[in-house]
């Protein structure tokens, strides 16, 4: 979907295209920062408000569920106001939610704040991905990897900021207020840039309907994406709690597993395009699945927190390449309707987040966090069966 006028959009200017890419990159980084800010402060918020483990689990699962609702609200907002306006509104809402989480006086307030954050991050997800799809069409080549690299960089910075605030023995609200301020700055700097959009020249009514056969072809990618986000939510939502409760790490050290995980995703996403060109998509997917499975076993058996932090980084290295390759291969099933295909595929994302967050949280609340990391290792191996469905991007030459 383009938010520019048709005439200018078809002509397009390099400055507009580059400006749109920069703005969207910062929005991706802001989303990664906000998600990391919420996940890495769970131990501090839990301790501050004396939340029970079961309530903490239910709250984080609720964030994922409300994010699903937020994605539908975001889709409606994109259709009415465009992706850039949707991104701006979602960032402002997320900043408000972060501030409320940090300074909530009681349980009811913090639960409402987490729900508000879920709605915001779901809406933001639709906005940034819709905008990224338009930018990729304008460039005529794959640029999704760079956006998700920025997402991971934002996560690393947020985790380090959380650790720094704990190290200085400051209230959790101080750190979340700083991160909310960063989101406000990004929201204020977002601008609408014109883009060349080849899809505007296509008459939607001339396109064949998205039938059942297409959804059957999407299913393998959906299952892989489901596994990816089960793993992602297990590490993202609970690694800080795992280090804190099971491995006796301090609140200063607890966020480091999340930081290592996101650092691994930065490396993986920054190199995935070159790896695909050298060895092919299928080989990259299979190797990544094995790396993820081995690293999860390492987290489950970690004798101390430094080992768990290192293993979390390796999990990020492997898991990070799977989602972009999944989205890219699925989009090539129907290039003229790629946004619709990706929107449907995104349902598996939220299903994975809910499943991973709920199961890991329940296991952790009973003192079985090690099992919570061992179980997804088996699911990661299942990705091997779906690897053959992945396709090569144009111009790539696998070995």
């Amino acid at each position: 979907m383009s938010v520019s006028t048709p005439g200018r959009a078809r002509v397009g200017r390099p400055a507009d295209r580059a400006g749109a890419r920069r703005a969207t990159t910062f929005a991706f980084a802001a989303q990664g920062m906000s998600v990391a800010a919420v996940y890495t402060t769970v131990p501090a918020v839990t301790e501050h408000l004396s939340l029970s483990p079961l309530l903490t689990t239910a709250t984080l699962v609720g964030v994922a569920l409300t994010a699903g609702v937020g994605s539908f609200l975001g889709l409606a907002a994109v259709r009415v106001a465009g992706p850039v306006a949707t991104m701006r509104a979602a960032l402002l809402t997320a900043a408000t939610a972060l501030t409320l989480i940090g300074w909530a006086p009681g349980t009811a307030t913090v639960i409402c704040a987490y729900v508000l954050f879920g709605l915001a991050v779901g809406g933001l997800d639709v906005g940034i991905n819709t905008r990224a799809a338009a930018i990729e069409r304008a460039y005529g080549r794959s640029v999704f990897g760079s956006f998700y690299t920025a997402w991971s960089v934002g996560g690393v910075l947020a985790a380090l900021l959380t650790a720094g605030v704990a190290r200085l023995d400051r209230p959790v609200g101080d750190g979340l207020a700083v991160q909310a301020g960063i989101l406000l700055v990004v929201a204020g700097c977002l601008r609408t840039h014109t883009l060349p959009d080849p899809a505007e020249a296509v008459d939607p009514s001339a396109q064949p309907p998205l039938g059942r056969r297409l959804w059957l072809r999407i299913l393998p990618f959906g299952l892989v994406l489901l596994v990816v986000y089960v793993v992602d939510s297990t590490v993202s939502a609970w690694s800080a709690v795992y280090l804190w409760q099971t491995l006796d790490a301090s609140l200063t050290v607890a966020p480091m597993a999340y930081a290592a995980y996101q650092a691994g995703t930065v490396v993986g996403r920054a190199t995935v395009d070159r790896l695909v060109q050298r060895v092919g998509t299928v080989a990259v997917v299979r190797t990544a699945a094995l790396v993820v499975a081995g690293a999860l076993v390492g987290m489950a058996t970690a004798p101390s927190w430094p080992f768990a932090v290192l293993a979390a980084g390796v999990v990020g290295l492997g898991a990070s390449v799977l989602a972009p390759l999944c989205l890219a291969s699925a989009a090539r099933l129907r290039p003229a309707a790629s946004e619709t295909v990706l929107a449907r595929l995104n349902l598996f994302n939220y299903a994975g987040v809910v499943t991973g967050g709920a199961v890991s949280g329940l296991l952790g609340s009973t003192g079985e966090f090690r099992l919570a990391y061992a179980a997804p290792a088996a699911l990661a191996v299942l990705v091997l069966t779906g690897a053959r469905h992945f396709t090569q991007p144009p111009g790539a030459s696998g070995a």
Side-chain angles (χ1 to χ4, degrees):
M1 176 181 295
S2 174
V3 294
S4 56
T5 58
R8 291 188 65 196
R10 289 193 183 96
V11 176
R13 297 180 301 184
D16 292 331
R17 188 176 66 177
R21 186 175 182 181
R22 282 194 299 270
T24 306
T25 298
F26 281 114
F28 267 89
Q31 189 194 34
M33 174 172 283
S34 66
V35 171
V38 167
Y39 284 151
T40 58
T41 55
V42 168
V45 172
T46 299
E47 184 177 74
H48 173 63
L49 296 177
S50 301
L51 303 179
S52 68
L54 188 59
L55 180 59
T56 301
T57 299
T59 301
L60 292 182
V61 171
V63 170
L65 291 174
T66 54
V69 176
S71 68
F72 287 103
L73 297 176
L75 182 59
V78 167
R79 289 171 175 169
V80 173
V84 176
T86 301
M87 291 155 59
R88 188 181 297 116
L91 284 170
L92 293 174
T93 306
T96 302
L98 289 180
T99 304
L100 289 175
I101 290 171
W103 296 108
T107 302
T109 304
V110 81
I111 290 176
C112 291
Y114 277 121
V115 168
L116 182 64
F117 177 79
L119 294 173
V121 80
L124 181 58
D125 198 38
V126 173
I128 59 178
N129 280 290
T130 299
R131 189 59 169 166
I135 293 169
E136 184 168 82
R137 287 196 303 271
Y139 272 84
R141 58 183 174 84
S142 176
V143 295
F144 255 98
S146 64
F147 293 130
Y148 278 93
T149 301
W151 196 102
S152 298
V153 170
V156 173
L157 295 177
L160 294 176
L161 180 57
T162 299
V165 169
R167 178 68 176 175
L168 296 173
D169 200 25
R170 301 293 301 173
V172 63
D174 286 357
L176 287 175
V178 170
Q179 304 198 55
I182 295 174
L183 265 61
L184 291 176
V185 171
V186 174
C189 293
L190 286 180
R191 297 292 182 270
T192 299
H193 300 82
T194 57
L195 290 172
D197 192 350
E200 289 183 347
V202 179
D203 182 6
S205 63
Q207 299 299 309
L210 301 176
R212 183 181 301 176
R213 184 177 179 183
L214 179 62
W215 303 132
L216 292 176
R217 296 175 66 191
I218 289 175
L219 184 59
F221 303 110
L223 292 177
V224 172
L225 205 62
L226 176 69
V227 172
V228 169
Y229 279 97
V230 165
V231 172
D232 180 81
S233 63
T234 300
V235 178
S236 297
W238 298 107
S239 61
V241 181
Y242 174 49
L243 263 65
W244 180 50
Q245 289 186 355
T246 304
L247 301 179
D248 297 323
S250 66
L251 289 177
T252 302
V253 170
M256 299 309 294
Y258 187 94
Y261 174 74
Q262 291 299 338
T265 67
V266 171
V267 176
R269 287 169 175 168
T271 58
V272 62
D273 291 332
R274 289 192 294 273
L275 288 173
V276 168
Q277 292 174 359
R278 289 178 63 88
V279 301
T281 304
V282 173
V284 172
V285 171
R286 287 173 175 166
T287 303
L290 293 174
V291 168
V292 170
L296 285 172
V297 172
M299 286 195 71
T301 59
S304 59
W305 69 259
F307 192 92
V309 169
L310 178 61
V314 178
V315 173
L317 183 66
S320 62
V321 307
L322 293 173
L325 293 180
C326 208
L327 295 170
S329 294
R332 285 192 286 273
L333 293 175
R334 185 67 65 83
S338 60
E339 292 180 11
T340 302
V341 173
L342 295 178
R344 300 297 183 269
L345 194 63
N346 204 40
L347 296 175
F348 292 91
N349 171 346
Y350 293 117
V353 171
V354 171
T355 303
V359 173
S360 301
L362 290 173
L363 289 173
S365 64
T366 60
E368 298 294 338
F369 259 128
R370 293 188 183 276
L371 181 58
Y373 286 100
L379 292 178
V381 176
L382 294 179
V383 176
L384 295 171
T385 62
R388 61 187 179 88
H389 295 281
F390 283 70
T391 59
Q392 291 286 110
S397 55

